[in-house]
Amino acid sequence: MTAAASSPQPTPERFFGAINAYEQTEAMKAAVELEVFTAIAEGNTTTAAIAERCKASERGVRVLCDFLTIHGFLTKDGTQYGLAADSAVFLDRKSPAYVGGVIEFLLTPRVREAHALLTEAVRRGGCALGEGNMVPENPDWVKFARAMMPMMMMPAQIMTAELLKGGAAHKVLDIAAGHGIYGITVAKQNPGAEIYACDWKNVLAVAEENARAMGVGDRHHLLPGSAFDVDFGSGYDLALVTNFLHHFDPPTCTNFMKKVHACLESGGRAAIVEFVPNPDRVSPPMAAAFSMVMLATTPSGDAYTFAELESMSKDAGFSRVELAPGQLGLDRLVIAYK
C-alpha cells in the first residue's frame, strides 16, 4: 500500500462542523435553560420522563437529547439517556461545580454581536463595536460576576494556597474584583487579611454580597471606579490582578503594572491570573484560542504568553516574575515580586 493510499482522504466535514457550530451553542443553551442535565441526574432518563420534568414536547426532547449524545454530553442506551462524566460534574444544577450559569455572560447579546462582526474585527485588529465589553459600568459585568463565581471557587482556593506559602498577606488589593471570590478566599484562609476590592460600583455590589455571605464582610472594603483612575493607596502586601490584563495592549498593561508596583510594600507581590498560551500561541487550545475572544470583544486585548507577562511586569519595576506550577482551572498563576 502506498503512502498516498494510506493517508486520510480530504473531507469537508470539519468545515461544515465549524460553520454549523452555532447549533451546538444553541443546543447547550436550550439544555441548560430547560434543565435537561439536572432532570437526567434526578433519574428522568426516558424521553417522556425528561419532557415531563422539563415541561417540553417529547419530540423536542428526543431531538435535543440525541444531538447532545452525538456531541458527547449525554450517553444513550436503548431508550435511556445518561450524563457523560463532565456533564454530571458541571451541568447538573445541583452539583457544587455547576457552571451552566455562565451562559448568562458568555452569550449576552453584545458578546454575540461582537463575534458576528468578526470579519470587520480582523480588518481593524480589534472589536468592531467600539469599546466592546470595556464600556464603563457595563451591566454585562454584573452578569459575569454572578455567573462565574461558582466556577472560580476552586481556582481561587488553589491560588490562595499557593500564595500563602510565600507568607501571610495582611493588606490585599483585589483589582477588577468582579464576584470578589479571589479576595474573599484570601480573607477566609488568612484571618488577619483586610481586602480592598476595586471594580465598577454596580459590580462591587455582587462582591460585597458574596463577602457578607461568606463571613468576611467586615474585612472587605470597596474601591469603586475604574482601576486606572482609582487611588489604591499604599502599603499592600499582595495585589490580585485576576483576568484583567488580557483586556488591554502591552503598553497599557505595563503602565498599569507600574501603578500596582507603586502601591505595594517592599517585598510585596502581584498575583496575575491569566490564560497563558505557550510560545507557539496555538497551545494549549483553550488558552491560545482566548485571543479570538479578545479580538472580537475588546479594542486591543490579547492572551499573553508568560514571556510577555514577565516583560510587562519587569518593565513596570518588578524584580522577579515566576510562573507557578499547575493550573487554576483554565488559568495560570504568575507571581511578580517587588
Side-chain angles (χ1 to χ4, degrees), residues 319-335:
S319 62
R320 179 165 55 96
V321 185
E322 296 178 351
L323 180 64
Q327 296 281 141
L328 305 180
L330 301 175
D331 292 320
R332 299 294 302 273
L333 171 62
V334 174
I335 306 175

Side-chain angles (χ1 to χ4, degrees), residues 166-207:
H170 301 293
K171 187 176 181 182
V172 179
L173 177 62
D174 189 0
I175 296 167
H179 38 65
I181 196 61
Y182 286 101
I184 290 168
T185 302
V186 172
K188 287 190 69 67
Q189 294 192 24
N190 188 14
E194 298 284 335
I195 312 299
Y196 294 80
C198 178
D199 212 317
W200 298 114
K201 183 178 179 180
N202 58 346
V203 179
L204 283 179
V206 180

Side-chain angles (χ1 to χ4, degrees), residues 50-68:
I50 298 167
E52 182 177 358
R53 163 64 172 78
C54 297
K55 297 181 174 58
S57 71
E58 289 191 31
R59 177 177 181 272
V61 165
R62 186 261 301 168
V63 172
L64 177 60
C65 288
D66 283 348
F67 184 86
L68 294 170

Side-chain angles (χ1 to χ4, degrees), residues 268-291:
R269 296 166 293 162
I272 302 166
V273 174
E274 284 288 343
F275 290 92
V276 181
N278 291 328
D280 62 14
R281 302 200 67 87
V282 294
S283 65
M286 287 289 289
F290 191 68
S291 288

Side-chain angles (χ1 to χ4, degrees), residues 236-285:
Y236 292 97
D237 306 298
L238 176 65
L240 308 177
V241 190
T242 57
N243 293 299
F244 180 71
L245 297 180
H246 58 239
H247 294 102
F248 311 102
D249 60 23
T252 303
C253 292
T254 299
N255 285 333
F256 182 75
M257 290 304 293
K258 289 179 181 178
K259 181 179 181 180
V260 173
H261 183 272
C263 79
L264 290 170
E265 286 281 350
S266 178
R269 296 166 293 162
I272 302 166
V273 174
E274 284 288 343
F275 290 92
V276 181
N278 291 328
D280 62 14
R281 302 200 67 87
V282 294
S283 65

Side-chain angles (χ1 to χ4, degrees), residues 111-242:
V111 168
R112 300 179 85 171
E113 184 182 2
H115 283 84
L117 297 173
L118 189 60
T119 301
E120 182 59 24
V122 172
R123 288 194 179 108
R124 294 185 183 193
C127 180
L129 290 178
E131 293 183 77
N133 275 343
M134 308 314 294
V135 176
E137 302 284 356
N138 181 357
D140 287 347
W141 291 115
V142 177
K143 295 179 181 178
F144 171 88
R146 294 199 181 281
M148 300 297 284
M149 196 270 281
M151 186 176 177
M152 295 297 105
M153 288 285 289
M154 185 174 292
Q157 291 169 354
I158 296 170
M159 179 205 73
T160 300
E162 181 67 28
L163 290 174
L164 293 184
K165 289 178 186 176
H170 301 293
K171 187 176 181 182
V172 179
L173 177 62
D174 189 0
I175 296 167
H179 38 65
I181 196 61
Y182 286 101
I184 290 168
T185 302
V186 172
K188 287 190 69 67
Q189 294 192 24
N190 188 14
E194 298 284 335
I195 312 299
Y196 294 80
C198 178
D199 212 317
W200 298 114
K201 183 178 179 180
N202 58 346
V203 179
L204 283 179
V206 180
E208 185 177 26
E209 178 184 312
N210 289 334
R212 287 198 305 265
M214 299 183 72
V216 297
D218 60 330
R219 293 186 285 125
H220 192 265
H221 315 288
L222 306 183
L223 299 174
S226 165
F228 293 95
D229 301 328
V230 169
D231 182 359
F232 294 150
S234 60
Y236 292 97
D237 306 298
L238 176 65
L240 308 177
V241 190
T242 57

